[in-house]
Amino acid sequence: MPSNKSVSDAPIAQFTNCRLLRGRRLQREDLWVREGKILNPEKLFFDEKGSADVQLDCKGCILAPGFIDVQINGGFGVDFSLATDDFRSGIDLVGRKILSHGVTSFCPTLVTSPPSVYHQILPQIDVRNGGAHGAGVLGAHMEGPFISKEKKGAHPEHCIRTFEENAFQDLLATYGSLDCVRIVTLAPEIKRSSEVIRELTKRGICVSLGHSVANLSQAEEAVQHGATFITHLFNAMLPFHHRDPGIVGLLTSDKIPAGRRVFYGMISDGIHTNPAALRIAHRAHPKGMVLVTDAIAGMGLAPGRHTLGQQVVEIDGLNTYIAGTKTLSGSVATMDTCVRHFLEATGCSVETALEAASLHPAQLLGIEDRKGTLNYDSDADFLMLDDSLHVQATYIAGEEVWRRDALGM
Amino acid sequence: MRLVILEDYDQASEWAAKYICNRIIQFKPTQGRYFTLGLPTGSTPLGCYKKLIEYHKNGDLSFKYVKTFNMDEYVGLPRNHPESYHSYMWNNFFKHIDIDPNNAHILDGNAPDLQVECDAFEKKIEEAGGIDLFVGGIGPDGHIAFNEPGSSLSSRTRLKTLAMDTILANAKYFDGDLSKVPTMALTVGVGTVMDAREVMILITGAHKAFALYKAIEEGVNHMWTVSAFQQHPRTIFVCDEDATLELRVKTVKYFKGDKTVEAEQNSFLPAVLAQHVWLYI
């Protein structure tokens, strides 16, 4: 039966025989989509007297919101911190390839780099919707250069800076433009960070704490000024100490302003953190868990040497180190393996694992009204998964953009 | 009347669903000749709806050429409120079957002019050719739809204030908070349901036993409005054992002797149930 033409001519698709993640649980419900958005079928029935134009049998699959990766440095040979002439095609390539990992929106991440690199790259990043061409770009994640030298991890020391002189103006001059910037990771112990955090927050940019030696009160002060995220918890920060928990202590801090939540990114690839640490963080603050890949250019490629901004990294299996050292630098994990590993390591419910990769990052970025859920009127970015959370198909705006073929590719 | 007594709620629900299913199939509805069904809400018919959905999903029953008319709807409750009868019908029935949304009629409790809405509903029933089978329930106070004690037995679709018994019975759907329960509703009248060619009343549970006794073993009385159906030529009361607890043993024994009940219980479409034995009292 056709939809009510007086309201909309667009065809209505009904995805049946599935379990969808809604209201924090997997429910036996059908998913209705029209014009790229999730439709309320009850309203359609009573208000428009409409019904589905096409019904698709999901064969018992799980339907989950598309994953959102807020920390990904590149992949498939593409390095987002390398300024090239065809930078845009690099973003396109990664955006297309990660569809098979279930990622429907991402924040290309730039590691600590010289200002010239930022000035070249940032204008080439466009915030745009996803589609058949690839996952949507939500904006850039600037991981550095305003970080701590002591906790630089894989970031090049000579590019690390402070904003002691002119605070926000220094930051602006370094990046060149904030137009497409979505997240900034900085170390709050740097002098004048409070002003910078306030300015960024005012502009709707998410401030994250990371690569830092801040103690708990410095971290709490940063949160009070607007910081809402922690970049790869446990990595590149002071370890938890029972008399000064450091940034890790934010998970159970009582100084978080009312109505706000601190989120924390974790690379649940089994390497960056011990599963026991993953469990401790999850149990302490389950609603703040955000799964990230922190994937680097070598992700999706054979083992060997690849670049990460100004550095050379070596991949050996799932481990990625700065060439010749044992310093971890990014990962080659994919988002769906992170979700599966998180599920297995914590023994949490399927719903919880899926939310950590979809709802929570959407809440972090303040976009949960249109991304990260299967609620009515949300963007129809969703995945078909089997019971062990392997991605079978990816949809963006209601269109199928990737499907696992019979060979499992 | 026929009084069909099944052992428990599930069996009663299944018997009723089979009956409705068989009726629709026998009628052979088609474009331009719809089967019209009157429908209830509440906890009693849930099992029956589940069974009908099952028959539909098995491919045995289609609602493509069925028109439905619900009995009632609360006044003033937003249509998408989880306790509205629109929500009930969508979640428990319509979303699982293939009915055309244009053929599913429910009174609008938020209409700007409620009496006009009621009159229009009566007109729609008339235009549809009347109701072939009206399925209903019974309240603990013996009401049918929201025709509370004291309602005229020749009443039509109209606005009614709900009796305290009904409000108390409904409180469980509103977190037990009496202040949240709607106090008014639009309802089909006793006369409206009496106009149907056939009526089936579902009654299950011990808490409905007294109302069933009053409805069929005492006189026709506007204080127990279901009793009006003693004067309807084709009414079936479908109940479980618990609902018969207040009836005379003699009554129960008489109706349990109805052999066609067993036949219908074991029958299913399409072949069986060709002849239908009506016991006239």
Side-chain angles (χ1 to χ4, degrees):
Chain A
M1 260 162 284
S3 45
N4 183 338
K5 303 290 178 208
S6 67
V7 173
S8 165
D9 254 339
I12 296 172
Q14 179 186 4
F15 293 82
T16 65
N17 192 12
C18 55
R19 290 160 287 154
L20 49 88
L21 180 61
R22 188 180 279 157
R24 328 303 296 260
R25 323 176 280 121
L26 283 180
Q27 305 182 17
R28 269 230 156 256
E29 290 284 351
D30 295 344
L31 185 77
W32 294 64
V33 178
R34 178 169 66 184
E35 288 180 302
K37 299 232 183 252
I38 296 175
L39 190 61
N40 181 339
E42 190 181 340
K43 226 161 157 261
L44 175 72
F45 187 89
F46 289 124
D47 284 346
E48 295 181 46
K49 311 272 184 241
S51 42
D53 293 293
V54 60
Q55 290 187 325
L56 297 120
D57 185 342
C58 298
K59 308 216 185 345
C61 268
I62 293 174
L63 288 195
F67 298 146
I68 300 173
D69 195 353
V70 300
Q71 187 171 7
I72 167 172
N73 309 288
F76 308 96
V78 175
D79 176 358
F80 293 146
S81 302
L82 196 64
T84 60
D85 287 331
D86 61 346
F87 184 83
R88 276 201 173 85
S89 57
I91 295 251
D92 289 349
L93 176 71
V94 174
R96 210 171 50 244
K97 291 280 204 176
I98 56 180
L99 293 177
S100 65
H101 306 157
V103 178
T104 53
S105 302
F106 68 110
C107 293
T109 304
L110 276 70
V111 297
T112 297
S113 306
S116 55
V117 167
Y118 295 128
H119 295 173
Q120 273 183 283
I121 291 182
L122 283 181
Q124 296 193 66
I125 295 182
D126 305 309
V127 171
R128 63 174 186 204
N129 289 328
H133 57 273
V137 176
L138 296 172
H141 176 167
M142 314 301 285
E143 193 187 358
F146 304 103
I147 56 174
S148 155
K149 288 199 170 150
E150 287 170 64
K151 288 291 177 188
K152 63 183 189 289
H155 294 227
E157 186 164 338
H158 65 281
C159 299
I160 291 175
R161 308 162 73 85
T162 69
F163 31 55
E164 269 187 55
E165 287 271 325
N166 298 306
F168 184 70
Q169 294 309 318
D170 277 349
L171 182 141
L172 199 49
T174 305
Y175 293 148
S177 140
L178 288 176
D179 284 347
C180 63
V181 171
R182 201 67 192 76
I183 307 174
V184 172
T185 293
L186 49 77
E189 68 273 20
I190 296 177
K191 284 205 180 45
R192 304 190 71 182
S193 68
S194 308
E195 296 167 48
V196 175
I197 295 174
R198 274 199 312 274
E199 284 298 324
L200 289 169
T201 308
K202 251 196 333 214
R203 284 164 174 69
I205 292 173
C206 169
V207 176
S208 184
L209 309 179
H211 288 277
S212 155
V213 295
N215 58 34
L216 181 56
S217 23
Q218 284 166 327
E220 283 168 339
E221 201 191 318
V223 169
Q224 263 140 29
H225 288 287
T228 51
F229 196 42
I230 302 172
T231 299
H232 45 56
L233 185 78
F234 294 125
N235 301 106
M237 56 185 64
L238 291 176
F240 175 88
H241 185 282
H242 54 287
R243 274 191 297 279
D244 189 350
I247 293 177
V248 179
L250 285 177
L251 264 59
T252 47
S253 163
D254 57 357
K255 301 233 174 16
I256 312 292
R260 270 228 262 129
R261 190 190 306 174
V262 171
F263 293 88
Y264 55 97
M266 288 200 82
I267 309 166
S268 59
D269 60 354
I271 292 163
H272 280 74
T273 38
N274 186 294
L278 189 64
R279 285 190 287 272
I280 285 177
H282 170 63
R283 288 181 203 175
H285 183 27
K287 285 194 176 0
M289 172 74 70
V290 170
L291 298 181
V292 301
T293 59
D294 201 15
I296 56 165
M299 181 267 283
L301 300 181
R305 289 186 158 215
H306 303 276
T307 64
L308 177 63
Q310 313 295 309
Q311 305 271 37
V312 178
V313 304
E314 237 175 67
I315 296 168
D316 167 25
L318 277 178
N319 300 300
T320 58
Y321 303 110
I322 297 183
T325 74
K326 279 290 168 200
T327 304
L328 287 173
S329 62
S331 83
V332 288
T334 64
M335 186 56 103
D336 56 324
T337 45
C338 286
V339 171
R340 286 193 294 274
H341 182 264
F342 174 65
L343 178 73
E344 198 205 306
T346 59
C348 67
S349 65
V350 164
E351 294 90 326
T352 302
L354 294 172
E355 283 183 342
S358 56
L359 174 66
H360 293 172
Q363 286 172 329
L364 166 70
L365 297 178
I367 54 175
E368 63 173 304
D369 57 333
R370 52 190 174 87
K371 299 264 188 232
T373 71
L374 296 179
N375 294 341
Y376 302 136
D377 301 328
S378 261
D379 291 351
D381 297 350
F382 60 94
L383 311 171
M384 285 190 197
L385 303 152
D386 65 15
D387 283 350
S388 51
L389 302 190
H390 286 86
V391 183
Q392 305 301 311
T394 306
Y395 286 75
I396 293 185
E399 300 297 323
E400 182 183 288
V401 295
W402 181 82
R403 173 164 287 274
R404 180 177 296 275
D405 64 26
L407 298 170
M409 312 281 189
Chain B
M1 74 160 186
R2 283 182 70 190
L3 180 63
V4 174
I5 304 167
L6 285 309
E7 202 176 302
D8 57 25
Y9 176 78
D10 288 336
Q11 291 204 22
S13 301
E14 191 172 352
W15 197 97
K18 274 188 185 172
Y19 189 85
I20 297 169
C21 184
N22 287 349
R23 269 271 169 271
I24 295 173
I25 291 177
Q26 278 178 327
F27 184 89
K28 295 200 191 34
T30 177
Q31 181 74 30
R33 187 172 167 267
Y34 288 77
F35 186 87
T36 46
L37 196 52
L39 293 178
T41 52
S43 50
T44 307
L46 281 175
C48 179
Y49 282 131
K50 280 203 175 71
K51 277 292 179 190
L52 286 172
I53 291 165
E54 194 187 297
Y55 303 153
H56 168 70
K57 292 224 184 314
N58 289 342
D60 293 326
L61 178 60
S62 166
F63 291 87
K64 193 154 178 236
Y65 298 114
V66 173
K67 282 189 177 156
T68 65
F69 291 87
N70 265 70
M71 296 186 122
D72 42 24
E73 174 62 287
Y74 290 117
V75 165
L77 206 59
R79 201 215 58 222
N80 60 359
H81 189 285
E83 292 304 325
S84 80
Y85 287 166
H86 280 79
S87 294
Y88 177 102
M89 290 308 296
W90 169 255
N91 285 312
N92 293 312
F93 199 45
F94 295 146
K95 83 176 172 194
H96 305 278
I97 59 172
D98 62 343
I99 189 165
D100 182 338
N102 288 300
N103 292 334
H105 302 280
I106 309 181
L107 285 156
D108 177 7
N110 294 299
D113 186 330
L114 295 172
Q115 193 50 53
V116 164
E117 170 69 13
C118 293
D119 294 341
F121 200 73
E122 288 273 343
K123 197 116 206 331
K124 280 190 206 137
I125 295 176
E126 198 189 333
E127 277 160 7
I131 308 270
D132 291 306
L133 173 59
F134 219 128
V135 182
I138 188 174
D141 59 1
H143 71 227
I144 173 112
F146 279 133
N147 292 290
E148 308 286 55
S151 295
S152 161
L153 299 180
S154 47
S155 51
R156 310 304 305 186
T157 306
R158 69 220 184 284
L159 170 68
K160 275 298 279 186
T161 308
L162 302 183
M164 183 45 83
D165 268 353
T166 305
I167 294 175
L168 287 171
N170 287 346
K172 66 179 185 246
Y173 301 119
F174 292 86
D175 303 322
D177 184 350
L178 286 182
S179 66
K180 289 199 182 130
V181 186
T183 54
M184 298 210 288
L186 300 183
T187 178
V188 293
V190 183
T192 317
V193 184
M194 282 287 285
D195 279 353
R197 285 180 272 286
E198 190 174 359
V199 176
M200 182 165 82
I201 312 277
L202 295 174
I203 308 172
T204 55
H207 59 302
K208 302 281 174 86
F210 191 74
L212 178 59
Y213 148 65
K214 279 289 187 189
I216 66 174
E217 286 189 335
E218 298 273 295
V220 173
N221 187 327
H222 66 174
M223 283 304 174
W224 300 90
T225 50
V226 176
S227 63
F229 293 90
Q230 293 177 24
Q231 299 198 301
H232 188 283
R234 275 185 109 172
T235 294
I236 308 182
F237 288 85
V238 179
C239 53
D240 62 358
E241 292 281 355
D242 283 348
T244 65
L245 287 174
E246 293 284 352
L247 297 180
R248 284 203 169 143
V249 175
K250 189 160 85 173
T251 310
V252 172
K253 282 195 165 181
Y254 177 76
F255 285 103
K256 274 195 167 168
D258 177 354
K259 288 296 173 213
T260 61
V261 172
E262 228 179 282
E264 274 159 9
Q265 213 170 346
N266 299 324
S267 87
F268 203 38
L269 346 135
V272 199
L273 210 56
Q275 265 85 53
H276 210 85
V277 176
W278 278 94
L279 294 178
Y280 286 91
I281 318 280

